[in-house]
Amino acid sequence: MPRQYPDPLRRFCRFLTRPFRQGSAPQRRIIPRDEHTISRKDFSRAALHVLYGLKDAGFEAYLVGGCLRDILTGIKPKDFDVVTNAHPEEIERVFRGARIIGRRFRLVHVRFKGEVIEVATFRAVTGQEEDEDDRHSRRSAGGQILRDNVYGTIEEDALRRDFTCNALYYDIRDFSLHDFADSLHDIEHRTLRLIGDPEQRYREDPVRMIRAVRFAAKLDFSIDPATEEPLARLAPLLQQVPSARLFEEVLKLFLSGQGQRTFALLQKYRLFDALFPATAEALDDDDGASDLKLIHAAMRNTDRRLAQEKPVTPAFLFAVLLWPALRRRVSFYLGHGMPPLQAMNKAAGQVIADQVGVVAIPRRYSAVVREIWDLQSRLPRRAGNRAAALMEHPRFRAAYDFLLLREDAGEIKPGLGEWWTRFQEAGDDARDDMLAGLGRQDSGPQGAPRKRRRRRRRSGGGASDHHSGGGQDE
């Protein structure tokens, strides 16, 4: 099978000279089936279909990475990744419905009975000097990998992986495990360790810093000191990562079921500052304590919902994470004499626009974020038919949950959330009594009564045309 470089051994040997782990050298260890606990029963039908399909076509095929790590740590895998010595075009010919994707890393998606298996070709180790004139591999001036489609051997592929816990391979031919980086040792000791020199690996792909935090939180692993040391220092490198890619990584961070611990680690290593700079600045203010409590409460709530297999919307997550920045910006505009509604609208637009430059938030989510924020100023105004109308709003439930979090965090006085809870549970007569008890105390902005203007009757008669003001949320 042709290779794009004639001498993979030369690159592999040079990689071995890089720092790996003090006191040890990487070596291949094969664990036979009767000495490990991983079984084909742990794999999905789609994964087995791809593994056997490649094997029967004459190629090597291995399950690799996170699925094996999760099985060994007692977690049910959500997806399965396969690596092979077949090139993307060859993989595409083996499977009907296979599709080549990606430019930075060319991969193949194989669909089987509704499940998608990601298949990659063994990657080779490349050096900076080899990237300059090659169309298959390219790096930035700072060492970040921009394109990497140089194929190699399984040995090279293993040492190119980010963390040792992700460098295990399951061979479908004899059901053995192949360990190239003391992976089993680190999994057993619950240690997260980068393969190679940590600073160089982070510079190659700054997203590895986010992955380090995500894996440490998800797996309850401790981060090896050498892997941990550069994190806070290199956190600004995340600004070089495309914002669309960071959106996907942020969702993985906070929707993995360990959002609260993840947030704490992001703060510890200053990675949160790079992902949400305006919010991080607001949290450092003297009045940032309630905002911090709000985020922690939201993370606990999200983790609980995920554990109960309830849906979680990314829009609610971003509404919480950007709320401190919004409050700070609104306060600035109010302090300069801007009317409240105008201050809110202008601040919301600017906060989201600034954040999209760092972490891209699709419009389908950012629009919902703004609705949740807008409803915070409308929920206190319940008189007349407003309460019933608000409950019909498609974002009412999210805004109500958000209000409860704000009360729990001490940002606003309690009481309004409890009123809305009772109102939702009450019958029609009880609702009428609750609304009658309100009087006109909250019929206008900040509890001020709204004045009505009478319209003159037009000459020629006809019914009078009164303007209720109910739809004008000032």
Side-chain angles (χ1 to χ4, degrees), residues 16 67 82 99 140 148 203 284 290 313 331 377 401 406 466:
L16 294 181
C67 59
V82 173
R99 184 167 64 95
S140 68
D148 189 5
R203 290 189 180 277
D284 288 337
S290 65
T313 170
S331 296
S377 63
D401 290 342
R406 291 174 62 208
H466 293 287

Side-chain angles (χ1 to χ4, degrees), residues 184-304:
L184 287 176
H185 174 276
D186 284 348
I187 291 173
E188 180 182 351
H189 290 82
R190 311 190 77 81
T191 300
L192 191 71
R193 192 190 314 272
L194 267 171
I195 298 174
D197 175 58
E199 180 157 345
Q200 179 180 341
R201 302 308 304 278
Y202 289 143
R203 290 189 180 277
E204 287 175 349
D205 186 0
V207 168
R208 287 175 178 143
M209 293 186 285
I210 299 177
R211 288 167 60 84
V213 165
R214 177 160 63 90
F215 291 148
K218 173 186 175 180
L219 303 169
D220 194 23
F221 278 20
S222 62
I223 303 179
D224 173 70
T227 299
E228 178 184 47
E229 186 278 326
L231 288 173
R233 181 163 47 84
L234 299 182
L237 291 178
L238 287 171
Q239 298 171 4
Q240 302 173 9
V241 179
S243 59
R245 186 181 178 206
L246 285 182
F247 170 75
E248 299 296 336
E249 293 298 331
V250 165
L251 293 188
K252 293 176 185 178
L253 282 171
F254 295 117
L255 299 182
S256 65
Q258 297 293 333
Q260 188 175 12
R261 184 162 186 249
T262 297
F263 175 70
L265 291 175
L266 289 172
Q267 281 200 302
K268 176 181 179 180
Y269 299 120
R270 312 301 294 181
L271 296 170
F272 187 80
D273 300 45
L275 294 172
F276 294 89
T279 298
E281 191 174 346
L283 292 177
D284 288 337
D285 285 350
D286 293 337
D287 59 347
S290 65
D291 290 327
L292 190 60
K293 289 179 65 177
L294 173 73
I295 293 176
H296 277 291
M299 293 302 165
R300 284 195 302 271
N301 181 60
T302 300
D303 291 344
R304 182 169 58 250

Side-chain angles (χ1 to χ4, degrees), residues 220-452:
D220 194 23
F221 278 20
S222 62
I223 303 179
D224 173 70
T227 299
E228 178 184 47
E229 186 278 326
L231 288 173
R233 181 163 47 84
L234 299 182
L237 291 178
L238 287 171
Q239 298 171 4
Q240 302 173 9
V241 179
S243 59
R245 186 181 178 206
L246 285 182
F247 170 75
E248 299 296 336
E249 293 298 331
V250 165
L251 293 188
K252 293 176 185 178
L253 282 171
F254 295 117
L255 299 182
S256 65
Q258 297 293 333
Q260 188 175 12
R261 184 162 186 249
T262 297
F263 175 70
L265 291 175
L266 289 172
Q267 281 200 302
K268 176 181 179 180
Y269 299 120
R270 312 301 294 181
L271 296 170
F272 187 80
D273 300 45
L275 294 172
F276 294 89
T279 298
E281 191 174 346
L283 292 177
D284 288 337
D285 285 350
D286 293 337
D287 59 347
S290 65
D291 290 327
L292 190 60
K293 289 179 65 177
L294 173 73
I295 293 176
H296 277 291
M299 293 302 165
R300 284 195 302 271
N301 181 60
T302 300
D303 291 344
R304 182 169 58 250
R305 290 184 65 86
L306 290 169
Q308 297 170 350
E309 298 185 349
K310 294 182 178 179
V312 177
T313 170
F316 189 87
L317 177 69
F318 282 103
V320 169
L321 290 173
L322 295 176
W323 180 253
L326 176 75
R327 288 214 304 146
R328 192 170 189 257
R329 191 71 62 90
V330 169
S331 296
F332 173 80
Y333 289 138
L334 291 177
H336 285 72
M338 189 176 290
L341 180 61
Q342 184 181 352
M344 182 67 173
N345 287 336
K346 186 173 182 179
Q350 289 189 347
V351 166
I352 290 178
D354 291 345
Q355 184 61 37
V356 165
V358 182
V359 177
I361 306 174
R363 188 176 298 275
R364 66 183 184 275
Y365 295 132
S366 63
V368 176
V369 169
R370 295 195 64 161
E371 289 183 283
I372 293 172
W373 289 345
D374 176 65
L375 285 170
Q376 299 310 298
S377 63
R378 296 173 60 185
L379 288 173
R381 305 201 291 273
R382 300 152 286 171
N385 62 358
R386 289 184 174 186
L390 282 172
M391 285 182 58
E392 297 299 320
H393 194 288
R395 312 303 174 199
F396 168 78
R397 185 69 194 188
Y400 162 73
D401 290 342
F402 196 96
L403 174 69
L404 295 181
L405 288 176
R406 291 174 62 208
E407 287 188 347
D408 290 344
E411 178 195 324
I412 56 177
K413 294 180 180 179
L416 181 60
E418 192 272 337
W419 187 95
W420 275 110
T421 300
R422 289 191 293 111
F423 190 78
Q424 293 176 76
E425 298 171 350
D428 291 342
D429 292 341
R431 287 183 178 183
D432 290 342
D433 292 341
M434 292 177 68
L435 292 173
L438 291 174
R440 295 181 58 84
Q441 62 180 345
D442 62 353
S443 59
Q446 299 179 354
R450 182 190 298 273
K451 294 183 180 179
R452 289 186 180 182

Side-chain angles (χ1 to χ4, degrees), residues 19 108 132 146 269 347:
V108 180
E132 295 176 357
L146 304 177
Y269 299 120

Side-chain angles (χ1 to χ4, degrees), residues 35-78:
E35 294 182 16
H36 67 77
T37 59
I38 295 177
S39 168
R40 282 172 293 172
K41 295 179 182 179
D42 300 318
F43 308 155
S44 70
R45 290 182 61 191
L48 291 171
H49 168 74
V50 172
L51 289 169
Y52 280 114
L54 288 169
K55 172 181 174 290
D56 294 343
F59 298 105
E60 298 178 50
Y62 300 82
L63 274 181
V64 65
C67 59
L68 303 178
R69 175 203 67 213
D70 287 351
I71 291 170
L72 290 170
T73 54
I75 300 173
K76 183 179 180 179
K78 291 184 177 180

